[in-house]
Amino acid sequence: MTLAVTLLGTGSPMPSPDRAGPATLISAGPDSGTGPDAEHYLVDAGRGVLMRLAACMLGAPNLTAVFITHLHSDHITDLNDVITTRWVMTFEETPLTIVGPIGTQQVVDHILASLDPDIEYRLAHHPDLDHRPPVRVIEVTEGVVELPDGQGGAVTITCGQTDHKPVEPSVGFRFDFEGASVVTAGDTVPCDGLDALCGGADALVHTVIRKDIIANVPMQRMQDTLDYHSSPEEAAQTAAKADVATLILTHYVPPMPVSGTADDWRSLSAAHFDGTIEVGDDLHRVEIHPR
């Protein structure tokens, strides 16, 4: 029985030819989380997420639920694709549960409204498609996340407030399975909410930016990103403070190789954290075991 993290997309708002948008897959179950009874939780849905899932031999119908850390566009760009593809590629009514911060319901309602012409076309064309996309939204702030009956059950999921102001609210999620645990931080600066969520966890997936590089870019919009993201050093300090065993970096800004090599990013974190540090491309997979 295994809990595994797959970095589906390690990119950012800056388009990259080889990095999809922010998205992380948490898999739990037999056969290293790849068996037919595994639970698969998608955290954020950036550009290209279904292409990366396909590379894992998975698709929208395989998702137990979708979790959104915050409503920045790069983290929800392809949520519409997940909704539509789940709908048309399942042959009985299979609700998609989307968990996110306050405001997620409004965003999903607008996505469905934008898809309305496509929905009507498909309903008119396919006699066996007799229902609209079934989507359930659960808005959360902190505490245990309760999924609808029949969805999940093997994994305990909790959430906590993070700090990505002026993007507010934003949340992180913790997944506990068979004694192993992983936290997905999303975009945030160090904060008490994330510290509490990480306490005693085995792994932390944290988005990061190279503040030392961005600080020298003479562009206001780049400078603005410095005050609401964590650097590799800050992510490492959060991991060390919570006694996390493994730190997994993602959402590299600027993208590599402009921002250096994977070893460069790793060394910045290693100055503040003695555990295992994972820096990977899209589809990098890390198995998480209890300590």
Side-chain angles (χ1 to χ4, degrees):
M1 306 292 279
T2 300
L3 185 65
V5 174
T6 304
L7 300 179
L8 295 177
T10 58
S12 70
M14 304 169 68
S16 170
D18 52 8
R19 296 189 187 274
T24 301
L25 186 69
I26 308 298
S27 301
D31 301 322
S32 299
T34 61
D37 297 325
E39 296 179 9
H40 299 288
Y41 298 95
L42 175 64
V43 182
D44 291 330
R47 67 172 67 92
V49 63
L50 289 189
M51 295 174 67
R52 293 295 188 256
L53 270 177
C56 298
M57 305 301 291
L58 295 169
N62 300 110
L63 297 175
T64 306
V66 176
F67 290 78
I68 302 298
T69 60
H70 64 289
L71 300 173
H72 249 152
S73 59
D74 58 314
H75 290 253
I76 61 171
T77 299
D78 277 13
L79 185 56
N80 63 330
D81 196 13
V82 175
I83 291 171
T84 300
T85 304
R86 167 82 160 224
W87 175 51
V88 300
M89 292 187 66
T90 52
F91 297 97
E92 58 184 28
E93 193 164 339
T94 309
L96 175 66
T97 296
I98 300 172
V99 180
I102 303 299
T104 302
Q105 181 71 67
Q106 182 182 25
V107 168
V108 171
D109 287 345
H110 283 299
I111 289 174
L112 289 170
S114 73
L115 292 171
D116 198 60
D118 176 77
I119 293 169
E120 295 301 329
Y121 300 150
R122 296 182 189 278
L123 289 173
H125 190 217
H126 304 295
D128 65 336
L129 194 58
D130 58 2
H131 57 277
R132 299 175 67 83
V135 179
R136 298 169 178 165
V137 174
I138 300 174
E139 294 187 333
V140 296
T141 53
E142 59 184 4
V144 176
V145 178
E146 299 285 355
L147 296 178
D149 289 345
Q151 295 183 23
V155 179
T156 300
I157 305 162
T158 52
C159 69
Q161 294 288 310
T162 57
D163 185 355
H164 193 40
K165 296 180 184 68
V167 180
E168 191 176 12
S170 60
V171 293
F173 296 99
R174 175 170 173 151
F175 301 84
D176 284 87
F177 175 70
E178 297 285 333
S181 55
V182 59
V183 174
T184 54
D187 293 355
T188 182
V189 295
C191 62
D192 292 342
L194 181 58
D195 289 344
L197 203 59
C198 289
D202 296 298
L204 169 62
V205 183
H206 207 312
T207 65
V208 285
I209 69 172
R210 285 287 302 268
K211 291 187 177 183
D212 56 321
I213 295 176
I214 295 172
N216 294 310
V217 178
M219 183 184 301
Q220 184 63 47
R221 291 183 189 175
M222 291 299 293
Q223 295 286 318
D224 290 342
T225 67
L226 297 174
D227 60 14
Y228 67 169
H229 289 93
S230 289
S231 64
E233 297 93 329
E234 289 169 320
Q237 290 163 0
T238 295
K241 185 177 182 180
D243 192 29
V244 168
T246 300
L247 173 62
I248 305 170
L249 303 183
T250 187
H251 185 279
Y252 313 115
V253 182
M256 296 179 231
V258 174
S259 58
T261 66
D263 285 341
D264 293 330
W265 286 77
R266 188 178 293 106
S267 65
L268 291 171
S269 289
H272 303 271
F273 176 66
D274 293 332
T276 300
I277 302 169
E278 299 279 351
V279 181
D281 296 329
D282 288 10
L283 302 179
H284 183 63
R285 188 174 188 274
V286 183
E287 292 192 2
I288 309 301
H289 300 285
R291 286 182 281 177

